[in-house]
Amino acid sequence: MPVRLNPPSASELFPVAGVRLGVAEAGIRKASRRDLTLIELCQGSRVAGVFTQNRFCAAPVTVCKEHLPSGAIRALVINTGNANAGTGEVGLTNARATCEAVASLCGITAAQVLPFSTGVILEHLPVDRLTAGLPAAKADLRADGWLDAAHAIMTTDTVAKAASRRITLGGKPVSLTGISKGAGMIKPNMATMLGFVATDAAIAQSLLDPLVKEVADLSFNSITVDGDTSTNDSFIVIATGASGAPEITDAASADFAALRAALIDIAVPLAQAIVRDGEGATKFMSIVVGGGKDRAECRKVAYAVAHSPLVKTAFFASDPNLGRILAAIGYAGVDDLDVSKLRVWLASGNEEVLVAEKGGRAASYVEEAGARVMKAEEITVRIDLARGQADATVWTCDFSYDYVKINADYRS
Amino acid sequence: MPVRLNPPSASELFPVAGVRLGVAEAGIRKASRRDLTLIELCQGSRVAGVFTQNRFCAAPVTVCKEHLPSGAIRALVINTGNANAGTGEVGLTNARATCEAVASLCGITAAQVLPFSTGVILEHLPVDRLTAGLPAAKADLRADGWLDAAHAIMTTDTVAKAASRRITLGGKPVSLTGISKGAGMIKPNMATMLGFVATDAAIAQSLLDPLVKEVADLSFNSITVDGDTSTNDSFIVIATGASGAPEITDAASADFAALRAALIDIAVPLAQAIVRDGEGATKFMSIVVGGGKDRAECRKVAYAVAHSPLVKTAFFASDPNLGRILAAIGYAGVDDLDVSKLRVWLASGNEEVLVAEKGGRAASYVEEAGARVMKAEEITVRIDLARGQADATVWTCDFSYDYVKINADYRS
């Protein structure tokens, strides 16, 4: 059961001028399920992306990195059922053949196509079946295809993930719509976090590239289920420019700030949806670290808490186990951390409880207050390092019997 | 059920000349259990130690670090039931009071005493009860007290952990005996890995200090259950010199090499015993990484595999899930790793199976062979990075339903 995650409705997802989406059943791994998505972009669209740092990166990730610099991307092709990862040279050949097939169907070049795959790894991509499905996906292309695409890129997700916003830039209405998939990067066999956000805003490539990295850092790179990084993770932002809004060329402009805020406003819930849908998740936890010298050390502390199996099992048990949280902060790797100064709160809803200060349990703390907070489905752990102005937030879920069950039984 | 871990017998544990051990029931947390251990060292004993890197280190760890440089340690005092961690200034006062009480009882100074605590954290140490138990522990002092001490330092361990060896140095018989405790550093409430090894060999302090770090690195610092680092972890080596063997003053001597080998030969099984007794453990896994540029990168890869909840749940399921192992190697942080060159084997007993090469599944691999290896209780994952001569080994256990059960239910 996902934690407070409602499926999107088609009416909530605004079309993005210059983008059409189509899906098809290609039978990549299983028959009778939509497993192929084609996204067509109008000429002049700008695209930027960030990809997995895993050295075993999948063949499509390698091909995306080759094609992106061309600056003239016109199509994205996404298959589920097979990740085309751990497939060596054959995998690269298959990813390139996929691009060739899309190119020939759409009258563009292979270098204008970005391929994405998610599903089982160490198996070769059935390019013939994928290619055979492409005409149906092309025939299905439509501006309101976002919800169907959100469904078609799911693997073990239990809920489709999509978000949409409208803003005004230079007096023109601009839409942003995004979809994501992933049940927490916790399944290298049916792996992969994918996120795609498109807007019809116009923005210079030189601004879009760093913006995508920044947005990813604040969203998809701030979540964890169990610390396992997939071979295929990709986050792509598309700016078609088809809204007619003036091109954003100045990072100090109000329009840039508005677009940046809207992108974050979409990417954060898309990323959080992956954690809410994390395998076996019964709680959604925000680890908010402030008062750090720099963002890097705040992230270290937040991730140490978010990754600790002891903390995660305590949250599953609704146990306000302060010792486990303090121990995780202590081993996070902030070498000169003065534990006598830091403070820790547990919060849910309107209630925030100071639980630790002066190197131990807070004098004002009573276990009943901690227990009350821990019963909630959404809990915030707030940590003040009391040594600077930087902060960082990481979102994660708890660690339940079902996590072990799902991952121990997965291949059987 | 621990994995292939037999309790030691008293007859296997050699007394160490210059060391006497006594235990008592002090009622620190529960009545009628041995929870207090006193170890008395003869004059001239040399002692060295390594301690937790956790910033929330416990008060006794801080006091140990203050007292060790004196070079004249004569007693160790170890209590279970309370870790005296996360206890602020009061905790330091209590740890120092413990040392004063031992000193006054034994006619030494407080600076000659090393204190160790393990048990619940965030609770104040009941110094009065501890102190009241000391005379009984002193009255119990004897050279053959090792097995009782191994029992008395247990918290949630299911099996006492001890090892002993005899070697000859300069024609004299020398004994080494050690005890350890810990069910995997996975319980910050009843936490802590402790290891104590004593020998009646004589060795210069300037050689003992780096030797202890090296031995810890190859043993207690090469294990993991879940990556959580305790607030109290300590590893202590004592060399009494009482065997009459000549003092070792040259790191290039044959005697130094023999003592080093014997220390490693004791510390490794003591450390492995903690993993074998890890909570919920059903498998004992050795992650052996070779062909690295340096030991640090080999350890990174070994720990990435050993910490991955996905790998650990796959081992629990006896599932030869290569994708999870390859993905963990890929995200270990070895930035310029060429995955097309590395090779991975799974091994148990006499069987070793090449499972991955050339960036994917080995051509010769058949699932039946992998499944056969994975059924064993002790499994080795061997990884050749194919880029250098360095190696490193890490020992860990699998991740079972019982791990979640034990840690989710622990405080209830």
Side-chain angles (χ1 to χ4, degrees):
Chain A
M1 281 289 295
V3 184
R4 293 191 181 194
L5 180 61
N6 295 318
S9 69
S11 63
E12 294 167 339
L13 302 179
F14 307 115
V16 175
V19 178
R20 296 196 306 159
L21 309 96
V23 303
E25 296 178 0
I28 303 279
R29 185 149 187 255
K30 291 181 180 166
S32 303
R33 69 144 292 173
R34 293 173 294 186
D35 55 8
L36 184 62
T37 303
L38 187 63
I39 304 179
E40 176 204 69
L41 311 182
C42 67
Q43 198 160 7
S45 292
R46 283 169 184 146
V47 181
V50 294
F51 300 94
T52 182
Q53 299 299 306
N54 197 310
R55 293 298 303 168
F56 263 99
C57 79
V61 170
T62 302
V63 174
C64 275
K65 288 180 181 171
E66 289 170 3
H67 289 183
L68 259 183
S70 79
I73 300 300
R74 295 292 305 282
L76 283 65
V77 57
I78 308 148
N79 74 274
T80 63
N82 185 303
N84 193 4
T87 46
E89 280 300 321
V90 176
L92 283 171
T93 304
N94 285 340
R96 292 195 178 105
T98 303
C99 295
E100 290 288 352
V102 172
S104 123
L105 191 68
C106 300
I108 54 178
T109 68
Q112 293 180 296
V113 181
L114 298 182
F116 304 86
S117 295
T118 174
V120 295
I121 80 172
L122 299 172
E123 304 279 349
H124 289 307
L125 185 70
V127 184
D128 291 350
R129 293 206 289 280
L130 192 160
T131 306
L134 281 173
K138 181 164 188 292
D140 189 49
L141 285 173
R142 61 222 138 84
D144 64 353
W146 284 99
L147 186 59
D148 281 348
H151 278 281
I153 65 172
M154 287 167 64
T155 52
T156 56
D157 307 59
T158 65
V159 176
K161 300 165 181 73
S164 202
R165 300 284 183 275
R166 259 189 189 151
I167 57 174
T168 302
L169 295 180
K172 297 270 187 186
V174 164
S175 298
L176 301 92
T177 298
I179 56 177
S180 65
K181 68 132 301 205
M185 298 173 289
I186 55 179
K187 287 184 167 176
N189 260 3
M190 287 286 279
T192 301
M193 182 288 292
L194 294 178
F196 302 96
V197 175
T199 176
D200 42 21
I203 179 170
Q205 189 77 42
S206 61
L207 295 187
L208 186 61
D209 289 334
L211 180 57
V212 170
K213 286 186 177 57
E214 188 194 356
V215 171
D217 181 53
L218 292 168
S219 56
F220 293 99
N221 284 337
S222 291
I223 60 173
T224 180
V225 170
D226 55 11
D228 279 288
T229 307
S230 154
T231 49
N232 294 53
D233 293 344
S234 306
F235 173 57
I236 299 290
V237 174
I238 298 154
T240 66
S243 62
E247 184 179 16
I248 298 168
T249 54
D250 177 3
S253 66
D255 278 1
F256 179 84
L259 181 64
R260 175 184 174 279
L263 276 174
I264 293 169
D265 201 32
I266 283 204
V268 167
L270 285 175
Q272 289 181 345
I274 292 173
V275 171
R276 291 176 187 280
D277 205 8
E279 281 162 326
T282 73
K283 307 259 183 184
F284 177 80
M285 293 139 62
S286 302
I287 317 297
V288 180
V289 179
K293 280 189 182 162
D294 54 39
R295 185 168 157 78
E297 71 174 30
C298 294
R299 282 173 67 87
K300 265 192 197 176
V301 170
Y303 269 113
V305 174
H307 281 155
S308 162
L310 283 171
V311 170
K312 292 160 90 80
T313 47
F315 274 74
F316 170 54
S318 299
D319 174 8
N321 195 315
L322 311 184
R324 297 182 183 181
I325 297 170
L326 296 183
I329 296 169
Y331 67 66
V334 181
D335 285 340
D336 50 351
L337 183 66
D338 183 347
V339 298
S340 74
K341 288 196 180 141
L342 69 82
R343 290 186 297 170
V344 181
W345 294 259
L346 290 175
S348 65
N350 293 324
E351 184 164 18
E352 183 169 78
V353 179
L354 176 67
V355 297
E357 63 181 341
K358 296 179 185 164
R361 182 155 42 200
S364 61
Y365 176 70
V366 289
E367 181 103 356
E368 294 68 38
R372 205 160 50 235
V373 166
M374 292 295 284
K375 283 206 182 103
E377 274 192 327
E378 296 206 24
I379 301 163
T380 296
V381 179
R382 186 158 73 82
I383 299 161
D384 178 9
L385 299 178
R387 51 196 254 136
Q389 302 301 316
D391 59 69
T393 297
V394 163
W395 298 284
T396 190
C397 57
D398 60 338
F399 218 169
S400 69
Y401 293 113
D402 278 355
Y403 176 85
V404 177
K405 182 172 167 55
I406 292 165
N407 284 294
D409 292 354
Y410 176 61
R411 292 214 336 177
S412 55
Chain B
M1 282 291 294
V3 184
R4 293 191 181 194
L5 180 60
N6 295 319
S9 69
S11 63
E12 293 168 338
L13 302 178
F14 307 116
V16 175
V19 178
R20 295 196 305 158
L21 309 95
V23 304
E25 296 179 358
I28 304 278
R29 185 147 187 258
K30 292 180 182 169
S32 303
R33 69 144 292 175
R34 292 174 294 186
D35 54 8
L36 184 61
T37 302
L38 187 63
I39 304 180
E40 178 204 66
L41 311 181
C42 65
Q43 198 160 6
S45 291
R46 282 167 185 147
V47 181
V50 295
F51 300 94
T52 180
Q53 299 299 305
N54 197 311
R55 292 298 302 167
F56 263 100
C57 80
V61 170
T62 302
V63 174
C64 275
K65 288 181 180 168
E66 289 169 3
H67 289 184
L68 259 183
S70 81
I73 301 300
R74 295 292 303 283
L76 284 65
V77 56
I78 308 148
N79 73 274
T80 63
N82 185 305
N84 194 5
T87 47
E89 279 300 321
V90 176
L92 284 171
T93 303
N94 286 340
R96 292 195 178 106
T98 303
C99 295
E100 289 288 352
V102 171
S104 121
L105 191 68
C106 299
I108 54 178
T109 68
Q112 293 181 294
V113 181
L114 298 183
F116 304 86
S117 295
T118 173
V120 295
I121 81 171
L122 299 173
E123 304 279 349
H124 289 305
L125 185 70
V127 184
D128 292 349
R129 292 206 289 280
L130 192 160
T131 305
L134 281 173
K138 180 165 189 290
D140 189 48
L141 285 171
R142 60 223 137 83
D144 64 352
W146 285 99
L147 186 58
D148 281 348
H151 279 280
I153 65 172
M154 287 167 65
T155 51
T156 55
D157 307 61
T158 65
V159 176
K161 300 165 180 75
S164 203
R165 299 283 184 274
R166 262 192 187 148
I167 57 174
T168 302
L169 295 181
K172 297 268 185 185
V174 163
S175 298
L176 301 92
T177 299
I179 56 177
S180 65
K181 67 133 303 204
M185 299 173 287
I186 55 178
K187 287 185 162 176
N189 261 4
M190 288 285 281
T192 302
M193 181 289 290
L194 294 178
F196 302 96
V197 175
T199 175
D200 42 21
I203 179 171
Q205 189 75 43
S206 61
L207 295 187
L208 187 60
D209 289 333
L211 179 58
V212 169
K213 286 187 177 56
E214 189 196 354
V215 171
D217 182 53
L218 294 167
S219 56
F220 292 98
N221 284 337
S222 291
I223 60 173
T224 180
V225 170
D226 54 12
D228 278 288
T229 306
S230 155
T231 50
N232 295 52
D233 294 344
S234 306
F235 172 56
I236 300 290
V237 174
I238 298 154
T240 66
S243 62
E247 184 177 14
I248 298 169
T249 54
D250 178 5
S253 66
D255 277 1
F256 180 85
L259 181 65
R260 175 183 173 280
L263 276 174
I264 293 168
D265 201 32
I266 284 207
V268 166
L270 285 176
Q272 289 181 344
I274 292 174
V275 170
R276 292 176 186 278
D277 204 9
E279 280 163 327
T282 74
K283 307 259 183 185
F284 178 80
M285 293 139 62
S286 303
I287 317 298
V288 180
V289 179
K293 281 188 182 161
D294 53 40
R295 183 167 159 77
E297 72 175 31
C298 294
R299 281 174 68 87
K300 266 192 196 175
V301 170
Y303 268 113
V305 174
H307 281 155
S308 163
L310 283 170
V311 170
K312 291 161 90 81
T313 47
F315 275 76
F316 170 54
S318 299
D319 174 9
N321 195 315
L322 311 184
R324 298 183 183 182
I325 297 170
L326 296 182
I329 297 169
Y331 68 65
V334 181
D335 285 343
D336 50 350
L337 183 66
D338 184 347
V339 297
S340 74
K341 288 196 180 142
L342 70 81
R343 291 186 296 170
V344 181
W345 294 260
L346 289 175
S348 63
N350 292 323
E351 183 163 17
E352 183 170 79
V353 180
L354 177 67
V355 297
E357 64 181 341
K358 295 178 186 166
R361 183 155 38 202
S364 60
Y365 176 69
V366 290
E367 180 103 356
E368 293 69 36
R372 205 160 50 234
V373 166
M374 292 295 284
K375 282 204 183 105
E377 273 191 327
E378 296 206 23
I379 301 164
T380 297
V381 179
R382 187 158 72 83
I383 300 161
D384 178 9
L385 299 178
R387 51 197 254 135
Q389 301 301 318
D391 59 68
T393 297
V394 164
W395 299 284
T396 191
C397 57
D398 60 338
F399 218 168
S400 70
Y401 292 112
D402 278 354
Y403 176 86
V404 178
K405 181 171 168 55
I406 292 166
N407 284 295
D409 292 353
Y410 176 61
R411 293 214 333 177
S412 54

